[in-house]
Amino acid sequence: MNAPATTELPVVVIGAGPAGLAAAAHLIDQGIQPLVLEAGQTAGAAVREWSHVRLFSTWGEVVDPAAEKLLAPTGWTRPAPATYPSGGDWADLYLQPLADVLDNRVRYGARVTGVSRAGRDRIVDADREQQPFVVHIAHADGREERVFARAVIDASGTWATPGPAGGSGLPALGEKAAADRIAYRVPDLKDPAVRARYAGKRTAVIGSGASAFTALAYLADLAKTDDGAGTKGVWILRRGISGSTFGGGEADQLPARGALGLAAKAAVDEGYADAVTGFRTDAIERDSEGRLVLVAEDGRRLEPVDEMIVLTGFRPDLSFLDELRLGLDERLQAPVALAPLIDPNQHSCGTVYPHGHRELSHPEQGVYLVGMKSYGRAPTFLAMTGYEQVRSIAAAIAGDLDSADRVELTLPETGVCGGAGLFDAPEAAQEGDGGCCAPAPQLVQLGAPATVGAAAEEAPAGGCCGS
Ligand SMILES: Cc1cc2nc3c(=O)[nH]c(=O)nc-3n(C[C@H](O)[C@H](O)[C@H](O)COP(=O)(O)OP(=O)(O)OC[C@H]3O[C@@H](n4cnc5c(N)ncnc54)[C@H](O)[C@@H]3O)c2cc1C
């Protein structure tokens, strides 16, 4: 079947999360038909998987203006702007009503399995850009379908591809075999079955971002309850502890985000969690009781734990975009023009400059990665960034370059400055390899007598050996 004329075709949006639904609203605002394809059975399917987690942004910061315009005629009103939704609130009170207004422009149970140019694989140049996109879909009921599109906005997020426990970015040896004791999400301790899994247990938490802070704070709260007595967190850090380890604290312009780091610090200070620094997980073994023994790259072994919570960030799933000519940064897997703006190796304070269609463009014209996926492996994505991205892209697709180029966004600073890589960058290299003279990983009891703390502070904050 020959591909129809491009201009009559919709813009396909992959994913009915915050960024995808905002993209649809902005396209409609520009008089362009969107077709939103969502793998899940509801809007915000990924957000619903962290329904129990409260956002660190207020309602005022997570509602897209064009979406609000679409919702207003239905009598929808934004919840109190200064209050903080949970993931569940965000999905139920905003994302689903928005998807309902978009009606049959949103298809559920429609997983995108491939995107290409109609009749042109990745190699073929011949009048490539005159061809529409072809999008392959696997429906939940087993049917397959293809649809044509004038442009494709991939807002499929990164939730489905969390990072592993392994210190080198690969799953640690034995990690797959230990899957029954490992979670890659902040646990919902209000769920009795989940609560029982962690109550009174020793749980390793790997990671150093907002989610790891949240998990440590949740475990500490559990430990303070009657049915949670004896609950202990073991916080595994690939680096030493430094001033920025707990985030920006009071300096964070998103106070609720700053508070997460402070809650994690309190969990360690009050003894509900031990911080183990300079530990790069290489293998996960079992002891005779089936408990997990984490082994570091240098062979050091931790006391057995009952459970592990791995929160080492996310990666983009690029597999279904293989037939397209994308320009992605080799480190972050983010668009090359955006990467320098968000690279944690370089960037501090969480200041991300307003960016739009130009920074999100690829050699393949007409395809854009937006939202959480646009950041690739970089942390600190905020919903309001995604909203500005899709506003600019919709204007660009409509041909209104003035508006598309007028990107305006002021992001709240994290209060954490200093590039030097992801804050758990591998500073503590093996002595053997002539690298750092870093001290052995040590159990840190913050608030404990100065000596121990002092040792931790000496842990490399910058380059090797304090350089
Ligand atoms: C625990 C947590 C807390 C956060 N808190 C905040 C906060 O307070 N403030 C803030 O600004 N940001 C926050 N974020 C970051 C970010 O805003 C959210 O992750 C947001 O959900 C990202 O929106 P998105 O639309 O890009 O991706 P997602 O919400 O992940 O949506 C992607 C959608 O695409 C669908 N999908 C995936 N693959 C396919 C496919 N192949 N075909 C079809 N559909 C597909 C998924 O089912 C999903 O519904 C938080 C993130 C997490 C994980």
Side-chain angles (χ1 to χ4, degrees):
M1 181 174 86
N2 277 341
T6 304
T7 46
E8 292 151 35
L9 296 170
V11 172
V12 160
V13 177
I14 308 174
L21 293 171
H26 282 280
L27 288 166
I28 288 170
D29 207 33
Q30 293 284 349
I32 298 170
Q33 270 309 313
L35 173 61
V36 182
L37 302 171
E38 166 56 50
Q41 293 302 334
T42 61
V47 172
R48 288 180 197 281
E49 293 195 25
W50 48 274
S51 287
H52 58 290
V53 177
R54 190 151 302 283
L55 277 75
F56 49 69
S57 300
T58 62
W59 272 113
E61 294 157 336
V62 293
V63 171
D64 172 75
E68 191 161 6
K69 204 166 124 194
L70 262 187
L71 281 162
T74 68
W76 182 88
T77 49
R78 184 201 307 221
T83 57
Y84 293 90
S86 67
D89 300 334
W90 201 17
D92 291 340
L93 304 178
Y94 167 65
L95 297 173
Q96 195 60 56
L98 176 55
D100 295 346
V101 170
L102 293 167
D103 198 11
N104 60 5
R105 288 170 285 205
V106 180
R107 295 203 197 149
Y108 299 108
R111 174 173 297 285
V112 170
T113 55
V115 183
S116 184
R117 285 279 186 185
R120 306 286 184 283
D121 68 19
R122 188 184 179 119
I123 298 177
V124 180
D125 284 345
D127 58 23
R128 183 180 183 81
E129 283 172 14
Q130 283 69 51
Q131 309 310 313
F133 291 93
V134 60
V135 179
H136 282 205
I137 306 165
H139 288 282
D141 61 7
R143 274 178 312 113
E144 283 192 292
E145 182 191 5
R146 69 156 141 52
V147 297
F148 294 101
R150 60 188 282 181
V152 173
I153 297 178
D154 181 357
S156 60
T158 57
W159 177 253
T161 38
S168 47
L170 300 170
L173 301 179
E175 182 169 344
K176 293 202 175 91
D180 59 317
R181 302 270 187 127
I182 303 180
Y184 295 85
R185 315 275 185 256
V186 175
D188 179 4
L189 299 178
K190 294 195 197 74
D191 174 329
V194 177
R195 192 178 180 84
R197 181 173 172 177
Y198 296 99
K201 307 281 178 50
R202 200 175 141 76
T203 297
V205 175
I206 304 190
S208 62
S211 292
F213 295 161
T214 309
L216 288 165
Y218 280 12
L219 290 172
D221 291 346
L222 177 59
K224 295 170 191 163
T225 63
D226 297 345
D227 67 331
T231 302
K232 182 84 173 182
V234 181
W235 190 19
I236 312 289
L237 290 159
R238 296 192 272 194
R239 280 190 60 169
I241 292 222
S242 68
S244 60
T245 301
F246 296 98
E250 270 122 30
D252 191 324
Q253 292 179 342
L254 275 177
R257 182 174 56 191
L260 289 176
L262 297 176
K265 185 173 182 312
V268 175
D269 284 353
E270 294 158 15
Y272 295 113
D274 295 333
V276 177
T277 61
F279 195 97
R280 307 179 68 73
T281 307
D282 185 44
I284 300 167
E285 298 172 359
R286 297 250 191 191
D287 71 4
S288 55
E289 290 153 43
R291 304 176 75 203
L292 305 182
V293 178
L294 278 64
V295 184
E297 283 176 0
D298 57 14
R300 273 159 276 178
R301 308 170 67 83
L302 280 190
E303 270 180 56
V305 295
D306 303 291
E307 296 284 339
M308 282 177 69
I309 303 174
V310 178
L311 300 162
T312 55
F314 300 95
R315 290 107 188 261
D317 174 5
L318 300 166
S319 61
F320 58 85
L321 303 173
D322 248 359
E323 286 312 312
L324 299 176
R325 300 172 180 182
L326 301 180
L328 298 173
D329 176 78
E330 69 275 6
R331 276 190 202 79
L332 300 180
Q333 297 181 296
V336 281
L338 175 59
L341 306 182
I342 60 175
D343 186 347
N345 291 294
Q346 307 302 331
H347 270 282
S348 60
C349 307
T351 318
V352 176
Y353 300 95
H355 57 272
H357 73 108
R358 292 192 189 283
E359 290 81 4
L360 296 162
S361 293
H362 294 274
E364 191 83 60
Q365 297 300 305
V367 65
Y368 303 92
L369 279 55
V370 303
M372 196 78 164
K373 192 164 185 176
S374 70
Y375 270 39
R377 295 179 177 220
T380 67
F381 171 79
L382 291 176
M384 61 170 78
T385 307
Y387 297 156
E388 182 58 11
Q389 292 176 341
V390 293
R391 182 204 65 73
S392 168
I393 288 167
I397 293 173
D400 179 357
L401 287 187
D402 283 354
S403 162
D405 287 337
R406 212 177 26 256
V407 280
E408 291 130 4
L409 181 71
T410 310
L411 278 181
E413 299 201 2
T414 62
V416 176
C417 301
L422 289 171
F423 290 108
D424 58 357
E427 303 285 345
Q430 292 291 336
E431 272 172 25
D433 62 10
C436 288
C437 52
Q442 38 195 305
L443 197 57
V444 175
Q445 287 284 342
L446 289 174
T451 47
V452 178
E457 285 314 316
E458 275 151 20
C464 284
C465 307
S467 63

